[in-house]
Amino acid sequence: MSFRTAALVTGGASGIGREVVRQLTNHGLHVIVADIDRDRAIAVADDIGGTAISLDVGDPDAWRSVTDHLKELGLPLSAAILNAGVALGQAEILDMDLPTYRRAWSVNVDGVVFGLRALVPQLEAARGHAVITASLAGLTAVPFDPVYAMTKHAVIGLVRSYAPTLAAKGVGLHAVCPGLVDSAMLGAAREALDRIEFPLVKIPDVAASLVACALGTDPSEVVVVQPGRPPLPYRFADVPGGRTGKTMPPLPALLPIGTRCGS
Ligand SMILES: NC(=O)c1ccc[n+]([C@@H]2O[C@H](COP(=O)([O-])OP(=O)(O)OC[C@H]3O[C@@H](n4cnc5c(N)ncnc54)[C@H](O)[C@@H]3O)[C@@H](O)[C@H]2O)c1
């Protein structure tokens, strides 16, 4: 089979990512399965005729292997699905160990930022799309996992704030926010959820929403996926404006707030 473009899926060896890999392949893309679990990534890639990369998304230097691989492939990158993620399942931050905290931030936030830094130039060349698997935990309070919620809120803020810059380069940026999904990530919580018959989102439904954004057929910036209904674009409420007797002027697109390290 000859492919016209490539797609990269992080966390592509399991759950939602694995199904995204399958669906994108069915759409005729060459898919690169990038995962920290090398053996499973190879197995998934072999299954669909794609390629596998062993990648820790939170390691900025490791992303060089992805850009090198893209060069070798010689295909334009039309879609990047930054999907790798981990939950902590810990309600009390006083009990959380630092490595667990650092890993959550590294995978869920650094992994997205480093992925965009590595891939935006390639996506720009192909006028492609970057899609982040966020979560309802990025839009709502999650008392059973506040740090997970923080990381997912972080990527939602990034998508909303960075999308205009990427749009000017011809690159789409989207976040898909599923409710609880029927995947291995649920771990020991699965039993409790089954007991109360909590409706879970089906993996193929989340994957279809990610793929629609990746192919440009869903232009939404932030999409909610709940069980039993089609994906919905999420609308954020306005915040109250100031009361100064004057109309607040729109902020300029570029405003050099803060200071940089070394300056
Ligand atoms: N399962 C849910 O209920 C649910 C709900 C909303 C959002 N999500 C999000 O969906 C995404 C996929 O989760 P899933 O449910 O398919 O879980 P999963 O555990 O089945 O898959 C996660 C994948 O990420 C990989 N991974 C973990 N750390 C990595 C790293 N440092 N570098 C590269 N790969 C790494 C794992 O090896 C695994 O293959 C995550 O971002 C998760 O936060 C999941």
Side-chain angles (χ1 to χ4, degrees), residues 10-253:
T10 69
S14 168
I16 297 166
R18 184 171 51 198
E19 176 62 14
V20 170
V21 167
R22 197 189 65 77
Q23 291 188 17
L24 284 173
T25 305
N26 289 344
H27 279 282
L29 281 80
H30 176 93
V31 184
I32 304 161
V33 184
D35 204 286
I36 201 163
D37 187 333
R38 183 178 172 275
D39 293 344
R40 287 175 78 172
I42 291 172
V44 171
D46 284 352
D47 215 32
I48 49 104
T51 43
I53 290 190
S54 162
L55 175 73
D56 176 353
V57 291
D59 175 355
D61 297 329
W63 279 93
R64 186 176 293 273
S65 64
V66 175
T67 46
D68 288 349
H69 182 67
L70 279 167
K71 244 185 240 154
E72 276 164 33
L73 265 181
L75 290 170
L77 182 75
S78 65
I81 294 80
L82 303 174
N83 163 79
V86 291
L88 301 82
Q90 201 144 17
E92 180 50 87
I93 65 170
L94 302 180
D95 298 336
M96 183 178 60
D97 60 274
L98 266 188
T100 301
Y101 170 68
R102 297 257 187 251
R103 182 174 76 121
W105 191 264
S106 165
V107 182
N108 298 359
V109 180
D110 289 344
V112 169
V113 175
F114 297 157
L116 289 172
R117 277 169 66 88
L119 302 177
V120 161
Q122 280 85 350
L123 291 170
E124 188 177 357
R127 299 186 73 78
H129 295 263
V131 193
I132 295 159
T133 310
S135 171
L136 275 195
L139 302 172
T140 61
V142 184
F144 53 82
D145 206 341
V147 168
Y148 179 70
M150 176 181 71
T151 63
K152 294 299 182 178
H153 274 71
V155 293
I156 294 293
L158 180 76
V159 167
R160 297 178 70 197
S161 307
Y162 190 39
T165 301
L166 284 195
K169 295 175 192 276
V171 176
L173 181 60
H174 319 257
V176 171
C177 299
L180 287 168
V181 181
D182 186 9
S183 84
M185 179 180 271
L186 295 184
R190 180 64 200 248
E191 208 183 302
L193 291 166
D194 284 350
R195 221 177 302 125
I196 59 168
E197 296 181 13
F198 191 89
L200 299 174
V201 183
K202 293 187 172 67
I203 288 177
D205 295 342
V206 187
S209 176
L210 289 157
V211 167
C213 292
L215 299 179
T217 52
D218 183 349
S220 313
E221 205 164 274
V222 178
V223 186
V224 167
V225 185
Q226 286 278 43
R229 59 190 302 179
L232 297 166
Y234 186 71
R235 309 231 178 281
F236 291 88
D238 284 339
V239 294
R243 278 202 181 148
T244 61
K246 285 196 294 183
T247 308
M248 304 270 276
L251 283 166

